[in-house]
Amino acid sequence: MSNARQPIDLKRIAGAFGLLGSFESGAPYGSGHINDTFALVYDQGGRPVRYILQRVNENVFKNGEALMENIRRVTAHQHAKLAASGASEASRRALSLVPAADGRCFHRDPEGGLWRVYIFVERATGHDRIETTAQAEAAAKAFGEFQKLLVDLPGGPLHETIPQFHDTASRFRALLQAVEADVCNRAAGVKSEIDFALARQADADRLLALQRAGEIPTVVTHNDTKLNNVLLDDATGEGICVIDLDTVMPGLALYDFGDMVRTATNSAPEDEPDVTKVHMRMPMFEALVRGYLASAGGFLNATEKELLPFSGKLLTFECAIRFLTDYLQGDVYFKTRRPGQNLDRCRSHFKLVESIEEQHEAMLEVVRRW
Ligand code: ADP
Ligand code: GN1
Ligand code: MG
C-alpha cells in the first residue's frame, strides 16, 4: 500500500450514500493502520450529526465486496439480537452500515475505490493505550461477548478476507522469504532480530497443530482485537461497541485473547523506540482474564484456558514478525508515519515477548485461579 495521500473529494464520495441533511465537513480520523478513515459532519435540521466514512484497503483485502458481505451479515445478526433482547441504544452497541443510494452496503468510486459509511458511535472512545485495569477488563469482556454472539451466525461460514491471517507458521515463512529477497538491503542491519525470530520458530505451529488435532475448535473470531478496536463508553467505561470487523472470519478464540494481551498489557506504545520501557503488565493481564472469562469462559475448553498466556506470547510474536517482514519489504503493508517505525514496532514487540516468557508461570497461575 502506498502511504501517499491523494486529495479526496469527500463530499462527492459521501453523496453516494443516503445521508440526510447537508454536508458540512470531512476530515481524517483515528489511528488505524489499514483503512482510510474520515469523520463526516452533516447538518440535520440545525444539528451536527457525524458519520464514519472509510475506504477499504483492497491491497490488503483482495476481495473487498466479499468482506462487505461478511460485515453486512455480522452486523445484521448483532442488530437482530439486540432488538430481540430489547437493549437500549442499539445503534451504539453494534456498527450500523448506511446503505449507498443504489441500495448496496458500499460504493465504488470511478477510480475503483471501495467506500462504506457507518453511523458514528458518539460518547465512546477507542483507546490506543489502555491506562486502567477497568478498561482492560471492559474491553476483554466486550470481545468475549462478541465471540459468543457469533456462535449462531446463520448462513454458513464467513469469507476468509485474508487467507491464513493468523497462520503464524505461514507468517514465519513470509519472513524467511523477505530475508532471502532482501529487496531494500535491510537484512544485514536486523540480524539480531532475525535470530530472535529463528530461535522461536517452534512456537509458530503450536496452536495450528492443536487445531489440526481437533483439541481446540475453529469458531468465528474477530481476529484484530487490538484495544482501539473496541469503543469504551465515555460515561460508564463499558465496552459498548466492537468495531473494525474486516477480519471477522473463522479462527481460534485464542487469537482474540492473544491480541488483547499484545495491546493491553504492553507498558509502552506499540512503536516505542526505547525498549527498556516495554514489559508485560501483570495487573492488566489479570484484568483481561477476568473480563474475557466472564463472557467467554463458558465456551472455552481446558486446553484453551491453559493456553491463554501462551496466546499472548504467540500473537505478540506473530505481529512482531509481520512488522519485521514489512520493514524488510520497504514498509508496504502497515501505514507508517516515520522511517524505521516498523522496525521499532518489531523491537518493542520482541521485548514484550521476552517479558511474557519471563512471567509465563505467574500468568498461568492467574488463569488457574479462575
Ligand atoms: P483500521 O482497520 O484502519 O484500523 P478502523 O475500522 O479500526 O480502521 O477505524 C479506525 C478508527 O476510526 C477507529 O480506531 C476508531 O477510532 C474510529 N471509528 C471507526 N468506526 C467508528 C464508528 N462507527 N464510530 C466512531 N468511531 C469509529
Ligand atoms: C492492523 O487495522 P488495525 O490498525 O486495527 C492489522 C492487525 C495488526 C495491527 C497492529 C488487517 O490493525 O492485524 O495486529 O495493525 N490489521 C490487518 O497494530 O492487517
Ligand atoms: Mg482498527
Side-chain angles (χ1 to χ4, degrees):
M1 186 188 72
S2 155
N3 287 324
R5 294 293 158 88
Q6 306 292 330
I8 298 166
D9 186 347
L10 293 175
K11 185 175 178 183
R12 182 176 61 88
I13 303 287
F17 291 85
L19 302 174
L20 301 178
S22 51
F23 179 93
E24 288 273 300
S25 64
Y29 190 80
S31 54
H33 293 343
I34 302 296
N35 295 311
D36 295 320
T37 302
F38 304 90
L40 306 179
V41 182
Y42 268 67
D43 178 85
Q44 291 182 358
R47 197 167 52 101
V49 173
R50 294 202 283 180
Y51 294 95
I52 287 284
L53 171 70
Q54 280 184 322
R55 179 165 55 188
V56 177
N57 182 339
E58 287 188 287
N59 291 326
V60 164
F61 300 105
K62 304 294 180 197
N63 188 346
E65 293 184 23
L67 175 155
M68 289 309 299
E69 172 65 16
N70 279 0
I71 295 184
R72 196 191 53 70
R73 286 179 55 197
V74 167
T75 54
H77 187 58
Q78 288 177 289
H79 280 292
K81 286 202 165 175
L82 284 165
S85 71
S88 62
E89 298 194 301
S91 68
R92 294 181 72 232
R93 293 181 184 278
L95 287 176
S96 311
L97 283 164
V98 178
D102 65 8
R104 295 192 296 180
C105 59
F106 59 87
H107 164 65
R108 277 234 180 252
D109 70 26
E111 292 76 43
L114 179 68
W115 296 86
R116 66 181 169 218
V117 171
Y118 290 121
I119 289 179
F120 196 107
V121 177
E122 297 286 356
R123 294 176 275 104
T125 307
H127 298 268
D128 286 332
R129 278 204 66 200
I130 289 286
E131 302 295 349
T132 68
T133 53
Q135 290 173 327
E137 182 174 346
K141 185 159 179 267
F143 279 123
E145 269 160 11
F146 183 80
Q147 286 183 342
K148 196 159 80 180
L149 181 118
L150 292 173
V151 163
D152 60 350
L153 178 77
L158 293 168
H159 300 287
E160 249 195 301
T161 56
I162 300 181
Q164 299 182 298
F165 188 57
H166 283 308
D167 182 328
T168 317
S170 123
R171 297 290 189 183
F172 203 91
R173 287 192 293 277
L175 171 64
L176 297 181
Q177 280 160 13
V179 172
E180 184 65 31
D182 197 15
V183 290
C184 298
N185 287 317
R186 290 177 170 178
V190 292
K191 190 176 174 315
S192 64
E193 285 75 17
I194 295 167
D195 289 344
F196 185 98
L198 287 172
R200 286 158 184 79
Q201 182 164 11
D203 284 336
D205 197 48
R206 190 160 161 206
L207 294 189
L208 296 163
L210 290 167
Q211 184 181 25
R212 284 193 299 272
E215 289 185 41
I216 50 178
T218 306
V219 291
V220 178
T221 46
H222 183 281
N223 294 308
D224 190 2
T225 54
K226 68 198 268 191
L227 271 296
N228 67 13
N229 283 334
V230 57
L231 303 180
L232 305 186
D233 187 292
D234 291 338
T236 65
E238 180 193 359
I240 188 114
C241 188
V242 168
I243 62 166
D244 204 344
L245 306 180
D246 299 328
T247 52
V248 178
M249 58 182 157
L252 299 177
L254 289 167
Y255 294 152
D256 284 356
F257 186 79
D259 208 53
M260 290 187 238
V261 175
R262 174 181 80 82
T263 50
T265 73
N266 193 346
S267 56
E270 182 181 78
D271 60 348
E272 174 61 57
D274 178 359
V275 299
T276 64
K277 293 185 180 159
V278 176
H279 67 272
M280 198 292 296
R281 296 179 290 182
M282 191 62 86
M284 291 296 180
F285 180 74
E286 287 177 0
L288 289 180
V289 171
R290 211 163 39 240
Y292 184 60
L293 291 187
S295 51
F299 61 78
L300 296 181
N301 68 28
T303 308
E304 288 174 306
K305 282 187 193 153
E306 282 286 299
L307 286 164
L308 290 173
F310 174 74
S311 75
K313 175 185 168 186
L314 183 72
L315 272 284
T316 306
F317 178 70
E318 179 188 283
C319 209
I321 62 176
R322 292 175 62 196
F323 291 140
L324 184 56
T325 304
D326 198 30
Y327 174 73
L328 289 166
Q329 292 179 332
D331 308 309
V332 291
Y333 184 93
F334 295 104
K335 284 185 181 172
T336 51
R337 290 165 188 87
R338 57 180 172 81
Q341 192 175 11
N342 269 321
L343 184 55
D344 285 341
R345 288 168 174 158
C346 164
R347 288 178 172 151
S348 73
H349 275 52
F350 279 162
K351 180 70 195 310
L352 188 60
V353 165
E354 275 179 341
S355 180
I356 295 173
E357 287 173 347
E358 284 158 17
Q359 299 182 75
H360 187 261
E361 279 310 305
M363 291 166 81
L364 258 183
E365 279 167 30
V366 167
V367 172
R368 287 175 182 159
R369 276 209 301 274
W370 249 264

